[in-house]
Amino acid sequence: MTHSSPFCLPSTVYPDTTGHLERQVSSLPRRHFVAAPAFGPPPMARGAGLLFAVAGPYASKQAISHFLTPLMGNKIMDFGSNPEKAVTFKLIGNSMVLGLIELLSETMTLADKTEIGADRFYELCKVSRKHCVPSRPLAHFFVALCSARHSSLRRPSSGTEARLSPTISMEKTASLSLAV
């Protein structure tokens, strides 16, 4: 009986680099490459709190999945056989986190400048999920859009820069309002 050995890369590297590694590993006999970048800081692995985005040959993904969950993570998202897709998804996720950090810093600065206080805003950030996750996202999008416009009108008097994305406008999204 011949055994194959999967090579699992949990690191976040550039998708082209991942493709290059996959071709190198797969060129060896009975070797298979699986990309499995992890979402979450390393200490979350101790409590099995990581999320893994995996891609590679099916049998190899099955072989490593028992090591990923429940030992280090609580969820695996499968992105098929192309390892570059898993890494691309991880980079998209990192971009979202970076955007959220920027948004938090902007709104905390606005809270301070309007004398509300970043600590009060932080209280809002800690509220339960039911207050923050909309059941009808598109309806909440329009409410948030209006709030963002009101907030941008308030910013000049507080001495902060209005950072509403120019790609989001009522005119461009008016056709979506029928779906609300």
Side-chain angles (χ1 to χ4, degrees):
M1 183 170 150
T2 60
H3 294 283
S4 65
S5 300
F7 176 84
C8 178
L9 181 67
S11 302
T12 304
V13 295
Y14 196 71
D16 291 347
T17 305
T18 301
H20 178 72
L21 289 170
E22 188 267 336
R23 287 185 294 281
Q24 281 188 320
V25 170
S26 298
S27 69
L28 301 170
R30 297 184 310 278
R31 301 292 186 263
H32 304 283
F33 182 87
V34 176
F39 284 89
M44 285 182 70
R46 279 192 286 263
L50 298 175
L51 179 145
F52 291 92
V54 300
Y58 179 78
S60 297
K61 290 185 296 190
Q62 290 299 104
I64 68 161
S65 68
H66 304 291
F67 295 102
L68 301 178
T69 62
L71 299 176
M72 296 182 288
N74 58 16
K75 180 150 179 76
I76 293 176
M77 294 179 72
D78 191 333
F79 285 87
S81 61
N82 182 348
E84 294 177 35
K85 296 294 184 190
V87 177
T88 299
F89 180 72
K90 170 65 171 160
L91 293 175
I92 292 168
N94 285 355
S95 296
M96 179 189 71
V97 170
L98 184 60
L100 290 171
I101 291 169
E102 182 180 8
L103 178 64
L104 283 172
S105 67
E106 289 288 327
T107 52
M108 287 185 152
T109 299
L110 179 61
D112 269 345
K113 295 281 188 168
T114 57
E115 299 178 1
I116 299 295
D119 55 335
R120 294 303 306 266
F121 180 73
Y122 185 67
E123 279 182 58
L124 175 64
C125 293
K126 295 190 313 183
V127 297
S128 70
R129 184 181 293 178
K130 70 180 179 180
H131 294 101
C132 298
V133 179
S135 58
R136 295 178 54 213
L138 197 53
H140 290 272
F141 168 78
F142 288 106
V143 171
L145 184 60
C146 289
S147 295
R149 286 189 175 278
H150 294 306
S151 175
S152 68
L153 294 174
R154 177 74 177 102
R155 286 177 184 263
S157 65
S158 66
T160 59
E161 182 182 334
R163 305 240 352 196
L164 181 60
S165 172
T167 60
I168 299 176
S169 69
M170 290 300 250
E171 296 78 27
K172 290 182 181 179
T173 56
S175 61
L176 296 174
S177 63
L178 299 175
V180 177

